[in-house]
Amino acid sequence: MEIPRHIAIIMDGNGRWAQRRLLPRAAGHREGAKTVRRIVEACCRLGVGWLTLYAFSTENWKRPQAEVDALMALLSRFLVAETPDMIANGICLRVIGDQERLPAGVCRNLKESCEATAGGKSLILTLALSYGGRDEIVRAARKLAAEVQAGRLAPDGISEAVFAEALDSAACPDPDLLIRTGGEQRISNFLLWQMAYGEMVFTTTLWPDFDEMDLRAACEEFSRRSRRFGRISA
Ligand code: FPP
């Protein structure tokens, strides 16, 4: 089985998992956080180098305030509880997205966890928070426009490589495999630039139920794909 170097995941289905059990949606997110831990461990075992998780989208700000608050509180608790184990296991935490919109407490926890885990070499775990692919591209365009305006960059100097370096995901390889749980088959504004040639695997399993077997099954499916990147097969 070929192990993708970089796996990205749209963790969908927490709400439905909870609804089916007549539990509040927040209970689904809590269970989803347990899956995050399980899948990070599984990625370490499989030798995946980069894992990027879509934890909160720019559109998720439009959810009821109580659910947004519950997700932010869960995230803070997760960071505080898991950072020691991340350090012990060589996991380096990073964040992509518009962090200016995040509550100050969450920003502080993120900064502390990212700094504390910066030396991790076994897995780069990136959380996409307050993240939208279009928003990331617009912010990159603004950064480059400011460089051009300041006379530090010529318009012709903007290549694909230069643009990619202006994105939040700079220095991270494009995902080889995107997994979406929960049955929907769409990209929902996740890694729009980076997924130009990424393979996609969709599963109806709800995120709280997703386990190492499901992850391995997605990697098996990935191994069967013929990646041509626009060229023809050898
Ligand atoms: C989508 O399910 C999931 C989210 C919007 C949040 C994802 C958050 C977690 C997995 C837990 C916290 C994350 C970390 C990193 C600790 P949904 O609510 O849209 O589910 P539904 O489609 O069934 O309603």
Side-chain angles (χ1 to χ4, degrees):
M1 176 170 72
E2 188 187 346
I3 301 299
R5 182 158 70 135
H6 181 177
I7 298 180
I9 308 184
I10 300 180
M11 310 181 285
D12 201 7
N14 293 346
R16 277 164 286 163
W17 183 93
Q19 272 158 7
R20 283 177 197 175
R21 289 162 178 77
L22 305 177
L23 294 168
R25 293 177 59 82
H29 294 314
R30 280 198 297 277
E31 204 60 28
K34 291 185 197 162
T35 306
V36 169
R37 190 187 154 107
R38 198 161 64 227
I39 294 306
V40 168
E41 286 170 352
C43 283
C44 288
R45 272 193 294 276
L46 287 173
V48 173
W50 279 266
L51 174 67
T52 301
L53 302 175
Y54 205 4
F56 194 87
S57 73
T58 44
E59 289 70 32
N60 287 154
W61 290 115
K62 297 182 198 132
R63 291 197 176 194
Q65 192 59 43
E67 183 169 345
V68 171
D69 292 346
L71 273 166
M72 292 299 147
L74 177 61
L75 184 67
S76 277
R77 284 200 304 277
F78 178 89
L79 292 169
V80 171
E82 302 295 342
T83 297
D85 279 358
M86 286 197 267
I87 297 168
N89 290 289
I91 295 164
C92 169
L93 183 74
R94 291 190 190 163
V95 190
I96 56 172
D98 183 5
Q99 288 180 65
E100 288 187 7
R101 293 184 71 181
L102 294 171
V106 174
C107 281
R108 215 169 26 248
N109 288 325
L110 281 169
K111 188 166 178 287
E112 282 170 13
S113 296
C114 289
E115 283 173 5
T117 61
K121 296 271 183 286
S122 64
L123 173 75
I124 312 269
L125 169 64
T126 303
L127 296 183
L129 282 169
S130 188
Y131 176 88
R134 289 183 173 180
D135 177 68
E136 180 189 33
I137 290 168
V138 167
R139 284 187 288 104
R142 281 202 201 116
K143 257 191 253 172
L144 294 174
E147 289 296 299
V148 170
Q149 196 174 36
R152 287 191 291 266
L153 179 66
D156 283 353
I158 303 176
S159 59
E160 288 190 13
V162 167
F163 202 94
E165 279 305 298
L167 294 167
D168 297 345
S169 62
C172 175
D174 288 343
D176 303 292
L177 170 65
L178 169 78
I179 301 169
R180 180 171 187 147
T181 62
E184 314 289 354
Q185 303 197 355
R186 54 176 170 257
I187 196 162
S188 297
N189 205 8
F190 191 38
L191 304 176
L192 296 183
W193 171 282
Q194 298 85 343
M195 275 299 291
Y197 281 101
E199 296 294 326
M200 300 185 193
V201 169
F202 300 100
T203 165
T204 52
T205 304
L206 304 176
W207 177 248
D209 294 327
F210 193 78
D211 62 15
E212 184 164 351
M213 290 253 291
D214 298 306
L215 180 69
R216 283 175 169 274
C219 291
E220 300 271 8
E221 168 72 38
F222 170 80
S223 304
R224 288 192 288 272
R225 301 274 172 93
S226 158
R227 300 188 79 194
R228 293 187 294 278
F229 299 94
R231 297 187 289 263
I232 57 171
S233 325

